[in-house]
Amino acid sequence: MNEDAALHSFRGIGKKTEELFHKLGIDRAGDLLTFFPRDYMVYPKPLESTDQLEPGKKQALYGFFKKAPVNHHYRSMDVTIGYFYIGSRGEKAIQVFWYRMPYLSRNIHIASPYVIYGTVGEKNGDLRFEQPALFLPQAYEKETNRLLPVYSLTKGISNQKMEKTVEEALNLCLPLKDPLQKEEDLLKEAGLISYEKAIRNMHFPESPDRLSAAIRRFSYQEFLVFFLSVRMEEKGLAKEKNNLVLDRHETCDRIRENLPFTLTKGQEAALSDLNADFAGPTVEERLIQGDVGSGKTIVAFLSMVRMVENGYQSAIMAPTEVLASQHQKTFQELIDRYQLPYHIAFLTGSLKTAERRQALFDIEDGTADFIIGTHALIQEGVSYHKLALVITDEQHRFGVRQRDAFLKKGQHPFSVVMSATPIPRTLALILYNGMHVSTIRDVPSERLRVKTAVIPDGKRAVAWNFIRKQVAAGHQAYIICPLVEASENLDQENVTDYGKNLAEYFKEDARVGILHGRMKPEDKDKIMTDFASNKIQILVSTTVVEVGVNVPNATVMMVENADHFGLAQLHQLRGRVGRGQWQSYCILINSQKKNADHANKRLDIMNRSYDGFEIAEEDLKLRGPGDARGIRQSGDSPFTMADIYQDSNLLELASIHADRILEEDPELSAEGHEGLRRLVDAKADETYTNL
Ligand code: ADP
Ligand code: MG
C-alpha cells in the first residue's frame, strides 16, 4: 500500500534525511498525512516604510531595486547583495543578502515593484534582510489570502521541505481511506467533512472556514476514538463487592483535629463522599475535581490513612517524577509530624536497581503502607499486598482508569482520580462515564489573592527588577517560557537562553535554575529539590511545573509569551504561587504585536477572575472560531486537537455515537472497521505508555 511507502523512495530524500524524519516519528508516507501543522501563518501586509521594521521579526516590505544586486564570492560561497528601496517613492533603502542564488542578480527587474519577505536582521546597528523570499506584488497578495502550515521541525528539515514532502505523500496515497468509512451516517448527522478533504485542509487550508471544518472533523474523530477505547476497556468489568473492614478511624480523627488549618467545606464534603463510598456495598470510582490550591493532597492523605490504619495499603500515582517525589516528601513530613508508624515505598521509572528491588519487596510483603510513585506503579513486576485505595493525582487524561491494570494484579482497590482541570459537571459525567464526582470549589480562605498584571515585553526589565526585590526579601520566583531551546520558525522565549541571560543579570544576587521535560529525571529532581529548599531562587521552566508543584515560599509567577497560552493553563501556572502566607504576584508578558489589544483583553480575564471554571468559560467566549484552538503546545492535554469546552456538543455526540457503534460491532471486528480499530488500539496503548 502506498501509505506504507518508505520515505527514501521520495524525491530528494536520502537515507540521512529519512533519519531526520524518523526523529519526528515519521516512518512511512502515511505518517506524514497525520503529521499536522502545529500552527498556521498568514503573510503580513507589506510595510511601505522602514519605521515599523523590528529586528528578529518576520516582516514583508514593498519597494523596488534601483540597481541590479551584485554577486560576490566569499569563502567559496556566492553572496548576492542589493539595496531594496522601500515604498513607492523609495526614500530609504535596506541592504538585502542572498546566499547561493547568483542568478537573482540577472532576473530582477530594475525599478519594478516587488515584495520581499523574511526575518529582519541587524548588524552593527543597521537593519538588513538575509535570504528573504522575493515576490511580485500580485503573487504576494495571493499568498496573503492563504493560511500557511507551520510544522514542528527538527534541525535539518525546513518548513518548506516538510510542506513539499507532505504534498508528495498526499498525492502518493490518494484516494485516502477513511477510518470512519462505515460511519458515513454518523458523520452526516454531525455535519462533518470527509477524511480526504479534512486531511488536505489540515495541511493546506483553502480558507479559514475549511480549516475549521477539518479541525472539527478530527476533533470528533479524536473524541470518538477516545470513547471507544475507554468503553471497550470498561466493558465486561462488573463492579466488585466491597469486602473492606474499616472499623478504625482514631488516627484519621487525631490528624484532622491537629491540622494546622481547618478543612474547607469542599474538602470536608469530598472526604465524607469518600467515606460513604468506602462504607458502601461495591468498589467505586470517584473523580475529585478541585481548583489549584484547593488542598487536594491532604484529602488524599487522610483517605489513605483511613485505609492504612485498618491494615490496608494505599497508593498515590502522579503524572510526573517531580510531583511524585514532592508527594513523598509531603507524606513523610506528615508521618513525622503526627508520629505515625507507617512506611512509604517510592517507585518511579528512574530508581536504581537496588532501590527498585527494595521498594518492590516492601510493596509485596506489606511492609509498605503508603505507595507513592508514577505510572511505574501499574507496570509489570509490581505485586501488592492488600491494596485498598489508589489515587491518581492531576489526572488530565480524562476517563483513564487504572481499575483494569490493578484487577490484573488481583487487586480491587477503590479508585480516586484527582484533577484540577476545571470542567463543568455535565462534561465530567460524560468524560468520566460512570464515575462519581466530587467538586471542591472553595480554596482556603485565609490565603491572599495573587495580584496579577499584564505587561508588554518591552517592560520586562521592570518585572526582573521586581523579582530582584522579592528575592532580596527571601522569596523565590518562577519564570515560564514556552520553548526548551531556540527555534527557527517560532518567535518565542526558550528556557535555555533565558536561563543564561537571567543568570548573567542576577549574578551573585540569586541562583537561577532551569527545568524542562527533556532533562533526565534525576536532574529534574535535583533542581526541584534545590528550588524547594531555596538553594535556587529563580526557576526558569517550561510548563512542566504547571502540574501540582507546591513551593509555598515562591511568590512570583512570571509567564513569557503569556498570550500564547490558554487561560486555563495560565490559571494552573498562577496556582503555583500564593500558597504561603505572603502576598504573591503573577506577571503575564503579552508579546503579541499584531493583535496586542485582543490578547490584552483575553489576558485581562486573569486579572478579574480567580475561579478556574469561570476563567475557562470566559476564555471560550472570547475566542473566535479557529482561533488559538486545537494545535496546542502543552503535552498534558489528553486531546491534541479537540477542545472539550469549545467542542462540547461534538463531545456529547461522539459519546452517543461510540455507544451506537459498539452496540453493532462490540469488538470493532467487522469489515470496514480495520482503520478505526487501529486508531482505538493506538489510543489504548498511549494511555499506558505516555505518562
Ligand atoms: P492542590 O489542590 O492544588 O493539589 P495542595 O494540596 O498542594 O493543592 O495544597 C496547597 C497548599 O494549601 C498546601 O500547602 C496545603 O498544605 C495547604 N492547605 C490545604 N488545605 C488547606 C486549608 N483547608 N487551609 C489552609 N491551607 C490549606
Ligand atoms: Mg495537587
Side-chain angles (χ1 to χ4, degrees):
M1 231 175 50
N2 288 339
E3 296 209 4
D4 289 323
L7 295 180
H8 60 253
S9 68
F10 280 48
R11 221 178 317 127
I13 295 188
K15 281 276 176 210
K16 257 207 189 126
T17 317
E18 188 173 29
E19 282 301 309
L20 297 175
F21 277 95
H22 290 336
K23 255 170 84 180
L24 295 169
I26 302 168
D27 299 331
R28 343 160 287 134
D31 297 334
L32 282 159
L33 302 182
T34 49
F35 188 81
F36 294 145
R38 61 169 307 289
D39 206 350
Y40 298 87
M41 187 201 86
V42 240
Y43 277 117
K45 281 245 159 326
L47 304 174
E48 304 214 10
S49 84
T50 43
D51 305 346
Q52 290 162 49
L53 279 180
E54 271 184 63
K57 292 258 173 283
K58 293 212 157 178
Q59 294 184 310
L61 279 176
Y62 176 90
F64 58 93
F65 293 91
K66 284 188 186 170
K67 273 196 244 138
V70 180
N71 286 330
H72 302 262
H73 205 68
Y74 288 125
R75 293 194 193 138
S76 73
M77 182 159 56
D78 288 311
V79 184
T80 306
I81 303 177
Y83 288 87
F84 189 69
Y85 286 79
I86 295 152
S88 38
R89 280 179 298 166
E91 277 142 18
K92 269 190 202 159
I94 181 168
Q95 213 175 10
V96 184
F97 294 75
W98 282 288
Y99 305 105
R100 298 193 188 86
M101 300 172 96
Y103 49 88
L104 273 180
S105 62
R106 289 188 310 264
N107 295 354
I108 282 172
H109 294 281
I110 306 307
S112 60
Y114 283 105
V115 173
I116 55 174
Y117 170 78
T119 307
V120 182
E122 190 174 8
K123 196 160 188 188
N124 307 328
D126 287 328
L127 297 182
R128 57 200 236 162
F129 262 113
E130 286 189 44
Q131 205 71 356
L134 185 69
F135 298 88
L136 292 174
Q138 308 88 292
Y140 188 81
E141 171 88 39
K142 238 194 219 155
E143 290 293 325
T144 52
N145 294 325
R146 284 207 310 143
L147 289 165
L148 300 158
V150 179
Y151 294 95
S152 295
L153 301 167
T154 186
K155 221 179 179 158
I157 300 182
S158 70
N159 202 63
Q160 216 179 359
K161 177 89 190 164
M162 185 60 87
E163 266 184 69
K164 280 227 173 84
T165 317
V166 168
E167 177 127 47
E168 200 174 332
L170 250 171
N171 293 332
L172 188 70
C173 298
L174 287 176
L176 304 186
K177 205 160 186 176
D178 191 339
L180 301 183
Q181 56 170 321
K182 252 177 109 71
E183 274 59 59
E184 224 174 294
D185 293 349
L186 303 182
L187 289 175
K188 205 176 259 167
E189 185 186 330
L192 297 166
I193 61 175
S194 78
Y195 184 69
E196 192 170 304
K197 228 188 212 165
I199 289 272
R200 185 166 285 285
N201 275 287
M202 282 306 295
H203 292 286
F204 310 110
E206 290 155 34
S207 68
D209 285 350
R210 292 277 166 88
L211 175 61
S212 294
I215 293 177
R216 247 178 87 77
R217 146 85 206 211
F218 284 112
S219 301
Y220 168 85
Q221 185 169 314
E222 215 176 356
F223 285 144
L224 187 70
V225 167
F226 161 78
F227 284 120
L228 289 170
S229 143
V230 178
R231 307 241 160 114
M232 284 174 78
E233 199 169 307
E234 272 295 289
K235 197 185 39 142
L237 291 183
K239 278 195 177 164
E240 293 291 330
K241 210 168 149 262
N242 175 13
N243 294 320
L244 298 183
V245 181
L246 300 172
D247 295 336
R248 308 184 67 109
H249 47 81
E250 299 78 13
T251 311
C252 216
D253 294 347
R254 175 167 66 83
I255 299 172
R256 280 176 73 152
E257 276 153 29
N258 291 293
L259 284 174
F261 43 72
T262 34
L263 294 175
T264 64
K265 275 209 186 83
Q267 286 172 315
E268 291 279 7
L271 277 168
S272 65
D273 287 346
L274 285 171
N275 281 326
D277 290 350
F278 298 160
T282 46
V283 176
E284 297 292 335
E285 298 174 279
R286 181 171 291 278
L287 161 68
I288 298 181
Q289 278 204 82
D291 213 343
V292 271
S294 62
K296 295 185 290 296
T297 315
I298 194 71
V299 172
F301 181 73
L302 286 168
S303 52
M304 288 167 77
V305 168
R306 184 78 204 288
M307 294 302 175
V308 170
E309 74 171 313
N310 285 283
Y312 299 102
Q313 286 181 322
S314 57
I316 183 164
M317 189 154 66
T320 60
E321 304 225 352
V322 166
L323 189 51
S325 63
Q326 182 186 289
H327 280 330
Q328 184 201 21
K329 279 168 206 127
T330 309
F331 275 45
Q332 193 57 56
E333 271 165 33
L334 287 162
I335 286 176
D336 295 344
R337 188 190 311 154
Y338 298 103
Q339 301 180 335
L340 308 172
Y342 303 148
H343 183 76
I344 297 178
F346 182 65
L347 190 64
T348 68
S350 64
L351 290 188
K352 300 204 177 70
T353 318
E355 291 169 328
R356 180 179 162 79
R357 196 175 303 142
Q358 186 62 50
L360 291 178
F361 275 137
D362 291 350
I363 296 171
E364 180 152 14
D365 74 1
T367 307
D369 304 297
F370 294 105
I371 301 150
I372 302 178
T374 56
H375 258 53
L377 295 190
I378 56 172
Q379 266 143 24
E380 265 172 59
V382 193
S383 313
Y384 293 88
H385 183 61
K386 278 166 84 181
L387 186 63
L389 171 65
V390 174
I391 297 183
T392 312
D393 193 18
E394 298 295 348
Q395 182 57 270
H396 297 279
R397 291 181 177 260
F398 306 110
V400 167
R401 291 167 174 201
Q402 274 74 37
R403 202 149 74 104
D404 203 19
F406 286 104
L407 284 181
K408 285 197 190 109
K409 295 181 180 297
Q411 304 287 333
H412 310 155
F414 276 84
S415 162
V416 173
V417 165
M418 301 202 304
S419 168
T421 309
I423 37 177
R425 207 184 150 77
T426 46
L427 283 187
L429 289 175
I430 301 173
L431 284 162
Y432 292 92
N433 181 36
M435 271 194 218
H436 303 269
V437 182
S438 305
T439 305
I440 308 179
R441 276 203 85 140
D442 40 3
V443 288
S445 57
E446 68 266 34
R447 224 173 268 158
L448 291 169
R449 265 208 171 161
V450 179
K451 289 191 176 154
T452 305
V454 182
I455 62 172
D457 56 6
K459 292 218 173 123
R460 178 174 296 120
V462 180
W464 282 10
N465 210 12
F466 181 76
I467 290 176
R468 185 189 288 284
K469 284 189 195 135
Q470 287 288 308
V471 169
H475 291 299
Q476 290 163 274
Y478 298 92
I479 302 183
I480 306 299
C481 302
L483 305 178
V484 175
E485 287 170 353
S487 154
E488 209 181 294
N489 59 359
L490 283 177
D491 200 11
Q492 291 159 5
E493 298 297 333
N494 72 85
V495 168
T496 313
D497 295 336
Y498 202 102
K500 269 188 211 134
N501 292 341
L502 207 68
E504 179 64 26
Y505 176 86
F506 276 95
K507 291 212 174 75
E508 287 88 50
D509 298 345
R511 271 194 61 192
V512 177
I514 69 169
L515 184 73
H516 56 73
R518 287 199 219 148
M519 284 160 58
K520 288 203 207 99
E522 55 268 33
D523 295 343
K524 276 194 257 185
D525 205 43
K526 169 100 177 62
I527 292 284
M528 268 327 290
T529 314
D530 285 355
F531 189 61
S533 59
N534 201 359
K535 279 193 201 133
I536 287 173
Q537 286 74 47
I538 305 173
L539 185 63
V540 179
S541 169
T542 56
T543 53
V544 286
V545 297
E546 170 187 327
V547 170
V549 171
N550 188 34
V551 179
N553 190 47
T555 53
V556 184
M557 167 58 70
M558 171 170 173
V559 185
E560 288 287 350
N561 305 107
D563 46 286
H564 167 84
F565 292 96
L567 295 191
Q569 201 175 9
L570 290 176
H571 179 66
Q572 291 284 326
L573 287 169
R574 180 168 63 184
R576 297 304 121 222
V577 295
R579 294 179 157 246
Q581 69 260 43
W582 308 280
Q583 177 64 56
S584 292
Y585 306 86
C586 176
I587 305 171
L588 303 175
I589 306 285
N590 178 5
S591 51
Q592 272 292 339
K593 293 279 141 50
K594 261 187 292 174
N595 256 326
D597 287 349
H598 180 72
N600 260 332
K601 208 164 150 199
R602 250 188 86 225
L603 292 175
D604 201 48
I605 296 171
M606 295 291 296
N607 244 330
R608 293 197 309 269
S609 180
Y610 289 83
D611 178 336
F613 289 84
E614 191 180 300
I615 287 173
E617 273 160 31
E618 288 277 321
D619 192 12
L620 204 72
K621 279 189 221 145
L622 259 189
R623 287 201 236 166
D627 175 27
R629 58 140 40 213
I631 332 291
R632 232 182 301 236
Q633 276 269 94
S634 161
D636 301 320
S637 170
F639 301 111
T640 42
M641 193 155 347
D643 182 321
I644 54 160
Y645 305 101
Q646 193 149 333
D647 305 321
S648 56
N649 56 345
L650 274 186
L651 178 88
E652 253 186 285
L653 209 53
S655 165
I656 297 166
H657 288 179
D659 285 338
R660 260 198 246 165
I661 293 172
L662 289 179
E663 219 165 274
E664 273 186 30
D665 184 11
E667 299 293 328
L668 296 183
S669 51
E671 206 187 316
H673 267 159
E674 300 81 7
L676 186 56
R677 176 71 206 234
R678 256 198 303 279
L679 291 174
V680 170
D681 287 347
K683 178 83 198 171
D685 282 351
E686 164 199 327
T687 307
Y688 289 106
T689 51
N690 258 15
L691 291 171

